[in-house]
Amino acid sequence: MSFATVPDLILEPMIRNALLEDLGSYGDVTTRAVIPAGATYSAKLNAREDAFVSGMQVAALTFRLVDPTLEITTHIADGQPCRKGDVLMTINGKAASILSGERVALNYAGRLTGIATKTASFVAEAKGTNARVTCTRKTTPNMRLVEKLAVLHGGGHNHRYSLSDAIMIKDNHIAAAGGVRQVLEATKQHASHMMAVEIEVDRLDQLQEVLEVGGASVVLLDNMSNDLLRKAVEIVNGQIKTEASGNVKLDRIASIAATGVDYISSGALTHSARTVDLGLDF
């Protein structure tokens, strides 16, 4: 499967800020001190464990921002599996430029490959069902775009990107507004016809009220047991989409998917992913 890339123009400010953070106020003083100005090298970005790759576009752009003359070849693209020892990318050109961009490129690539790999493990557990595995807004500040891309690279799907993408009525909204009926009636009055509406419930009587009042296109079934999820799916009977969320761990994915829900969302895909070990070797 191939994946569309985000325009570099969108990614550039985030990566530029990371480079400025790493280079400090005076640049890479070690490299400037010990590497001859004209020295060139060919470096390899290697996988040190099996994984699903993400962050290659980001890593390549990192090196290009440091030095546009670097020649970068990606050998295993974002969204593809790799094995321990595989060469993911080669970077040819000035050794000083490669060294100055190394850490930022590896930080991004390792983090994003970890998210893609974790996502792939969740998706594998839901195989054979119609359930889609999605992420949440539990992302690293200023890295949401690339972390959500990494979820796609692992075979998952994206939830909303920001608070402005959809109306998502959570338990605190319901409590503050006075109840399920009140929030749904208010939404009907104020929501654009182009705006999707999702509402969270944690009891079946709330679900019944959602269906009775109408106005929602998705219901989030929060922290429900598998038995309750199965009953909820039966009650909904295809009228709106169903999403299971809360306490969603790898060992529960298969059983949750078997209940018939349409979506399974998990913040763990992004907030609990382990950074994969990648290395840049000269």
Side-chain angles (χ1 to χ4, degrees), residues 11 15 21 33 37 55-56 61 66 79 81 85 104 109 116-117 158 178 198 203 208 218 231 249 252 263 273:
L11 297 175
I15 299 170
E21 175 184 63
M56 292 302 100
L61 180 54
V66 172
V104 171
T117 303
N158 285 164
E198 179 171 14
R203 304 192 314 269
Q208 294 279 14
V218 187
K231 290 176 183 177
K249 299 178 181 178
R252 282 195 69 210
Y263 300 96

Side-chain angles (χ1 to χ4, degrees), residues 8-23 58 61-62 64-66 68 104 108:
D8 283 350
L9 181 66
I10 296 175
L11 297 175
E12 187 172 310
M14 174 192 70
I15 299 170
R16 193 176 290 275
N17 284 337
L19 285 168
L20 290 172
E21 175 184 63
D22 206 36
L23 291 169
V58 176
L61 180 54
T62 300
R64 289 200 303 271
L65 285 173
V66 172
V104 171
Y108 276 122

Side-chain angles (χ1 to χ4, degrees), residues 15 17 22 24 26 62 74 76 80 88 94 105 115 155 159 182-183 194 222-223 230 237 241 252 260 280:
I15 299 170
N17 284 337
D22 206 36
Y26 196 52
T62 300
T74 299
I76 300 182
Q80 301 302 315
L88 308 183
K94 295 178 182 177
I115 291 172
H159 212 281
Q182 288 86 336
V183 292
M194 298 293 288
D222 187 45
N223 280 301
R230 196 171 292 106
N237 194 27
K241 295 294 184 181
R252 282 195 69 210
L280 191 75

Side-chain angles (χ1 to χ4, degrees), residues 180-241:
V180 169
R181 179 175 297 276
Q182 288 86 336
V183 292
L184 287 175
E185 294 292 359
T187 297
K188 290 179 186 179
Q189 293 296 317
H190 299 290
S192 162
H193 69 290
M194 298 293 288
M195 187 68 71
V197 178
E198 179 171 14
I199 185 168
E200 175 185 303
V201 302
D202 52 22
R203 304 192 314 269
L204 295 183
D205 62 304
Q206 290 178 313
L207 174 59
Q208 294 279 14
E209 190 173 9
V210 167
L211 297 175
E212 177 186 328
V213 177
S217 52
V218 187
V219 61
L220 188 154
L221 308 168
D222 187 45
N223 280 301
M224 289 189 176
S225 67
N226 290 347
D227 286 341
L228 277 179
L229 288 172
R230 196 171 292 106
K231 290 176 183 177
V233 170
E234 292 175 0
I235 291 169
V236 170
N237 194 27
Q239 297 176 69
I240 57 178
K241 295 294 184 181

Side-chain angles (χ1 to χ4, degrees), residues 41-122:
Y41 218 91
S42 179
K44 294 182 175 67
L45 177 56
N46 296 317
R48 294 176 177 169
E49 55 184 299
D50 297 352
F52 268 79
V53 176
S54 185
M56 292 302 100
Q57 179 190 3
V58 176
L61 180 54
T62 300
F63 286 116
R64 289 200 303 271
L65 285 173
V66 172
D67 184 350
T69 70
L70 292 175
E71 296 177 3
I72 301 162
T73 304
T74 299
H75 302 288
I76 300 182
D78 290 334
Q80 301 302 315
C82 69
R83 302 299 299 271
K84 179 179 179 180
D86 282 348
V87 178
L88 308 183
M89 178 182 289
T90 54
I91 308 98
N92 296 305
K94 295 178 182 177
S97 299
I98 298 171
L99 290 165
S100 293
E102 171 185 3
R103 177 42 51 197
V104 171
L106 286 176
N107 285 350
Y108 276 122
R111 167 73 179 152
L112 299 181
T113 296
I115 291 172
T117 303
K118 189 175 186 71
T119 301
S121 68
F122 276 54

Side-chain angles (χ1 to χ4, degrees), residues 126-204:
K127 189 175 181 179
T129 73
N130 293 322
R132 288 185 169 188
V133 173
T134 80
C135 55
T136 70
R137 288 189 299 119
K138 295 177 181 178
T139 54
T140 307
N142 299 315
M143 285 185 58
R144 180 171 296 166
L145 173 59
V146 291
E147 290 185 347
K148 281 182 170 284
L149 278 175
V151 169
L152 297 179
H153 295 154
H157 293 78
N158 285 164
H159 212 281
R160 58 180 178 162
Y161 274 79
S162 70
L163 292 170
S164 65
D165 291 341
I167 293 175
M168 186 170 177
I169 304 166
K170 304 277 282 182
D171 55 351
N172 286 340
H173 296 108
I174 294 171
V180 169
R181 179 175 297 276
Q182 288 86 336
V183 292
L184 287 175
E185 294 292 359
T187 297
K188 290 179 186 179
Q189 293 296 317
H190 299 290
S192 162
H193 69 290
M194 298 293 288
M195 187 68 71
V197 178
E198 179 171 14
I199 185 168
E200 175 185 303
V201 302
D202 52 22
R203 304 192 314 269
L204 295 183

